């Protein structure tokens, strides 16, 4: 479509159409531009058909070409801090290798194709975790306090409880 993805540190992400000369920031999903602006973008890298956006204060965003955040990664998902300076993959064009993420506190390694990340009780669930399953693009966990799920493509980092199964000890899930 002859578009360039432009990342700015103060005004977020834009598409610049080389044919028309128009600048578009409305292609991003609602709320994402504010998240990127408040985080101060410092780096944008291609990764498969997606882009990895590093920010100084809000972690990392994996953005698809339609403007949807496939993932927003922060300390809640296991980054050592949210002050990201760069993201790099030796296989950035085919995405087969890990994503190396540099920050002020060190380096994190992210296995892009593995849907599991680090989640703690700060991610919205309660109780001892007894099982985990990925099904229908959702990550499900069972605990001694019920069943919880997280949309794997959601920009939210919180698990959502299944109200009908609250306060239930659940050992296993089977798909």
């Amino acid at each position: 479509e002859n578009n360039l993805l432009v990342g700015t540190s103060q005004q977020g992400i834009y598409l610049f159409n080389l044919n028309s000369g128009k600048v578009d920031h409305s292609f991003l999903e609602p709320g994402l531009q504010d998240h990127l602006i408040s985080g101060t973008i410092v780096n944008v890298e291609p990764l498969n058909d997606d882009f990895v956006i590093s920010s100084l204060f809000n972690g990392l965003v994996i953005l698809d070409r339609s403007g949807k955040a496939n993932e927003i990664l922060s300390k809640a998902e296991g980054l050592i801090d949210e002050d990201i300076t760069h993201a790099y993959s030796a296989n950035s064009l085919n995405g087969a290798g890990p994503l190396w993420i540099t920050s002020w506190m060190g380096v994190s390694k992210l296995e892009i194709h593995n849907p599991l990340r680090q989640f703690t009780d700060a991610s919205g669930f309660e109780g001892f975790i007894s099982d985990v399953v990925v099904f229908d693009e959702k990550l499900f966990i069972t605990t001694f306090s019920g069943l919880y799920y997280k949309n794997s493509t959601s920009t939210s980092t919180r698990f959502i409880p299944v109200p009908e199964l609250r306060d239930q000890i659940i050992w296993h899930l089977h798909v």
Side-chain angles (χ1 to χ4, degrees):
E1 290 189 27
N2 271 346
N3 287 321
L4 289 178
L5 184 71
V6 180
T8 70
S9 63
Q10 302 298 312
Q11 298 299 315
I13 294 285
Y14 295 90
L15 285 179
F16 175 66
N17 187 289
L18 297 171
N19 296 332
S20 68
K22 291 186 179 183
V23 176
D24 177 21
H25 70 282
S26 65
F27 75 101
L28 292 175
E29 67 180 272
L32 185 57
Q33 190 74 282
D34 291 337
H35 176 82
L36 294 170
I37 290 170
S38 68
T40 306
I41 296 170
V42 293
N43 188 47
V44 178
E45 291 287 329
L47 182 68
N48 289 336
D49 291 326
D50 297 333
F51 294 96
V52 178
I53 303 170
S54 306
S55 75
L56 280 182
F57 307 111
N58 286 343
L60 192 84
V61 174
I62 299 177
L63 182 74
D64 71 14
R65 291 187 182 269
S66 71
K68 182 179 178 186
N70 286 335
E71 286 195 76
I72 294 180
L73 301 166
S74 63
K75 285 179 80 170
E77 288 80 29
L79 294 180
I80 53 178
D81 70 59
E82 295 178 0
D83 306 322
I84 307 303
T85 57
H86 192 74
Y88 169 78
S89 174
N91 301 308
S92 62
L93 296 180
N94 66 19
L99 183 66
W100 294 96
I101 304 163
T102 62
S103 68
W104 291 354
M105 300 296 292
V107 177
S108 297
K109 178 184 174 186
L110 176 66
E111 297 291 340
I112 291 292
H113 299 294
N114 184 342
L116 300 178
R117 304 286 186 259
Q118 175 183 344
F119 297 107
T120 66
D121 57 0
S123 300
F125 64 86
E126 298 173 4
F128 173 82
I129 297 174
S130 53
D131 200 2
V132 60
V133 171
V134 176
F135 176 69
D136 197 26
E137 296 189 31
K138 291 180 176 59
L139 177 66
F140 289 87
I141 61 170
T142 61
T143 74
F144 280 19
S145 297
L147 177 65
Y148 298 82
Y149 70 93
K150 177 186 183 316
N151 293 322
S152 62
T153 59
S154 171
T155 59
S156 170
T157 61
R158 304 210 33 97
F159 279 90
I160 301 165
V162 175
E164 297 82 6
L165 297 173
R166 275 210 119 142
D167 300 322
Q168 300 291 317
I169 296 174
I170 303 174
W171 280 101
H172 298 286
L173 288 176
H174 295 279
V175 177

